[in-house]
Amino acid sequence: MVTRTSRPFSPAKTPPAGTTRFGNAAASFNDRKILLSQRAPSINQSAGRIYQLRMGLPSLLSPFSRSISTPKKVPPSFSNYELIFNFEFISKGNVLEWSATRNGMDLVGVEFKAFPSGAHTIPSDFTIFKFREYFGIACFETVMDVASSRGAHLKSVGLLANNLNQLTRNRTSLTKFVRQLHEQPDNFHNMEKWFDALSSSDAPDSMPPSDMTQGDFLDRNVVLAFMRRMEARLFVLWKLMMLRKRVLFVSGPPVQTLCTNVLLCALLDSTEDNRDGSSLKPSTLFFVDLHDMDAIKLAETYNACSTEKIFETKQELFDALVVDGDIRIPSRILQEQCLLTAADRRRFVDYMETVVTESKNEEIGCDSVHGVPEDARTLFVDAFASLNYSVLSCLRAASSFGEGKITAEDISALSLDATSDIPFLSALAELHGFRVEFPPVVWCPGCRCC
């Protein structure tokens, strides 16, 4: 049943199917280290080809083997759409004009997500957010009007669902409705009809299934812009995400850039079973505002963004603050654990070169060096999923077999810095309960980056 509220405005690439099994789990750790050293996770060797990794190490998900098969394309459950809404921003604040909901859900608090701070400064934008147990997306547009009390009309149309994949597919439709409401402010018929179809079991077949790594949401330009903005600091973000820290992006509009930053950051600790990002962790909050401060203060881990500059002064709310690509980490201990190393810089050059080259091949329809066209999203996610699998498998194997020792050679074989990355690996091993002994850290005199 769909409940409607109307308050008219008034001026007052997947790998081929197959299964790969590792060798006997009782094999010596030294033998496994040899195999590991032969499979250092260079993006040219493994990105987009995770299933080709033959490390001879026990799986993180199963003690002795792992299976990789082609994921099934499951048609989306259209009944998961919960609510559609329309807000108008006037001198009195954000006013609800119209909404329709399946279960009588109230909208208290959504108005602050529908119009992020600074939304009036750009012609159009969109934001992704969490509202209770739902994901939300709101598309808003500004139309200049000198006769208006604020010199412009701002409208926002949004949708709530329990699956982010469904929301990203409908962003174009929401943008269209915003423009229609600017032209016909009180005409909600098209939105109502569309939501009824979306919420019913007989939703149009023309609405194709999607995932977060397809469509225009994370296209080539978005991925490359994120990598160029972060540069080698991308691997500082990677370490923060692997250690499950609280990461907050703060910047002015457009909010969509902040939200895609959060999403790409969330994919940095992808696993092989979730390299398409189809299952986001609950800690991926996307856009947050001042009303979320109490909630995120209690969170042990999260990944979020905001346009509220006041967050920059609240160091108790985050472990790392990202402002225009610059990463600020208040904790001295965490700074050492997430140090930007020479190995990170070398790896970034390798990753960037391959993503640019191979995604360009895909864009013009040419085969990549692997023989199959790849897109930037797949290359980006697969590279980090492969790296994560290599690192965690090495730690697990060291903890489970032999003397539990990791050597400098083992660390170098992972394309990590044999000295500077030891604090990171030590913290990661402790987080996962791995009992591992590392070489003593000996810093170069006056140097912390080599």
Side-chain angles (χ1 to χ4, degrees):
M1 178 179 179
V2 175
T3 304
R4 296 170 179 78
T5 301
S6 181
R7 301 180 183 177
F9 168 75
S10 61
K13 263 164 206 172
T14 304
T19 300
T20 299
R21 296 192 177 276
F22 291 96
N24 191 326
S28 69
F29 178 57
N30 287 332
D31 291 338
R32 297 173 188 279
K33 289 194 294 184
I34 294 174
L35 290 171
L36 175 62
S37 65
Q38 297 170 349
R39 297 293 180 184
S42 165
I43 189 172
N44 284 316
Q45 298 171 346
S46 58
R49 296 294 180 275
I50 295 178
Y51 58 91
Q52 293 179 344
L53 198 60
R54 302 290 188 266
M55 297 175 59
L57 298 174
S59 168
L60 301 176
L61 304 178
S62 169
F64 307 111
S65 66
R66 60 173 176 152
S67 297
I68 301 178
S69 58
T70 304
K72 296 179 179 178
K73 286 291 185 179
V74 180
S77 173
F78 290 97
S79 62
N80 290 332
Y81 292 100
E82 173 60 28
L83 183 145
I84 187 171
F85 58 83
N86 161 230
F87 280 94
E88 168 94 10
F89 181 73
I90 60 175
S91 57
K92 295 182 179 180
N94 302 337
V95 176
L96 177 68
E97 291 191 294
W98 177 87
S99 68
T101 177
R102 293 178 57 247
N103 299 312
M105 181 179 181
D106 70 82
L107 281 169
V108 177
V110 173
E111 65 270 23
F112 304 111
K113 311 287 188 182
F115 287 112
S117 175
H120 64 285
T121 63
I122 56 177
S124 62
D125 201 357
F126 74 86
T127 179
I128 299 173
F129 55 90
K130 290 289 290 294
F131 184 70
R132 299 170 190 167
E133 70 271 29
Y134 297 97
F135 285 103
I137 184 170
C139 300
F140 44 93
E141 188 173 273
T142 303
V143 174
M144 304 308 296
D145 182 1
V146 293
S148 171
S149 59
R150 288 184 173 266
H153 289 295
L154 283 76
K155 289 183 180 289
S156 174
V157 174
L159 188 66
L160 297 183
N162 62 10
N163 190 309
L164 180 62
N165 303 349
Q166 298 171 319
L167 295 180
T168 59
R169 179 178 56 248
N170 294 298
R171 180 164 60 94
T172 301
S173 296
L174 297 177
T175 301
K176 179 185 68 175
F177 290 137
V178 173
R179 293 171 182 168
Q180 290 180 353
L181 289 175
H182 274 297
E183 298 171 359
Q184 300 175 326
D186 297 326
N187 186 356
F188 308 111
H189 175 73
N190 290 336
M191 289 172 56
E192 182 176 359
K193 183 179 178 181
W194 179 78
F195 185 69
D196 284 344
L198 203 62
S199 305
S200 66
S201 58
D202 58 344
D205 293 334
S206 60
M207 297 178 182
S210 69
D211 59 58
M212 286 166 37
T213 60
Q214 295 179 354
D216 64 349
F217 187 60
L218 288 182
D219 62 21
R220 179 177 185 269
N221 292 334
V222 170
V223 175
L224 292 178
F226 177 69
M227 295 182 70
R228 287 169 176 146
R229 185 182 309 114
M230 297 308 306
E231 297 182 330
R233 295 185 297 271
L234 180 65
F235 290 96
V236 176
L237 280 182
W238 168 67
K239 294 170 187 177
L240 289 165
M241 294 304 297
M242 290 292 284
L243 295 176
R244 301 176 186 172
K245 298 303 180 180
R246 302 174 299 168
V247 179
L248 180 65
F249 291 82
V250 175
S251 180
V255 184
Q256 58 179 305
T257 300
L258 286 169
C259 290
T260 53
N261 287 349
V262 169
L263 180 51
L264 287 165
C265 189
L267 297 176
L268 293 177
D269 64 346
S270 295
T271 63
E272 294 188 21
D273 287 344
N274 184 35
R275 62 185 183 277
D276 66 347
S278 58
S279 178
L280 278 179
K281 296 177 290 298
S283 57
T284 307
L285 304 180
F286 290 99
F287 181 79
V288 295
D289 58 40
L290 300 178
H291 300 82
D292 298 309
M293 279 190 173
D294 291 340
I296 64 175
K297 187 176 183 178
L298 301 175
E300 294 183 359
T301 176
Y302 73 79
N303 176 25
C305 64
S306 182
T307 56
E308 301 284 357
K309 290 294 185 180
I310 192 173
F311 276 106
E312 297 184 31
T313 66
K314 306 290 184 180
Q315 293 190 1
E316 70 277 10
L317 298 180
F318 56 83
D319 295 314
L321 183 73
V322 186
V323 181
D324 298 326
D326 179 43
I327 304 175
R328 307 171 188 174
I329 303 177
S331 167
R332 192 68 180 270
I333 294 176
L334 187 57
Q335 287 178 16
E336 291 192 354
Q337 293 171 348
C338 300
L339 196 65
L340 178 62
T341 69
D344 294 330
R345 293 186 176 93
R346 290 191 296 268
R347 195 187 308 110
F348 176 77
V349 172
D350 180 30
Y351 278 37
M352 192 70 190
E353 179 181 356
T354 305
V355 170
V356 169
T357 302
E358 304 230 340
S359 61
K360 183 177 181 179
N361 288 337
E362 186 271 341
E363 189 176 58
I364 63 178
C366 298
D367 285 353
S368 71
V369 294
H370 296 297
V372 179
E374 293 285 2
D375 61 76
R377 303 174 300 275
T378 301
L379 288 164
F380 179 87
V381 177
D382 281 3
F384 280 98
S386 177
L387 178 61
N388 299 341
Y389 178 80
S390 302
V391 171
L392 292 173
S393 292
C394 181
L395 294 177
R396 182 187 179 97
S399 178
S400 303
F401 304 98
E403 301 177 353
K405 293 184 178 180
I406 294 285
T407 68
E409 290 74 18
D410 298 327
I411 298 174
S412 296
L414 294 168
S415 296
L416 298 178
D417 192 288
T419 298
S420 300
D421 279 324
I422 289 178
F424 162 67
L425 291 172
S426 179
L428 187 63
E430 181 180 356
L431 177 65
H432 288 273
F434 298 141
R435 300 180 65 180
V436 181
E437 181 179 340
F438 295 94
V441 178
V442 180
W443 299 106
C444 301
C447 177
R448 305 299 294 273
C449 62
C450 64

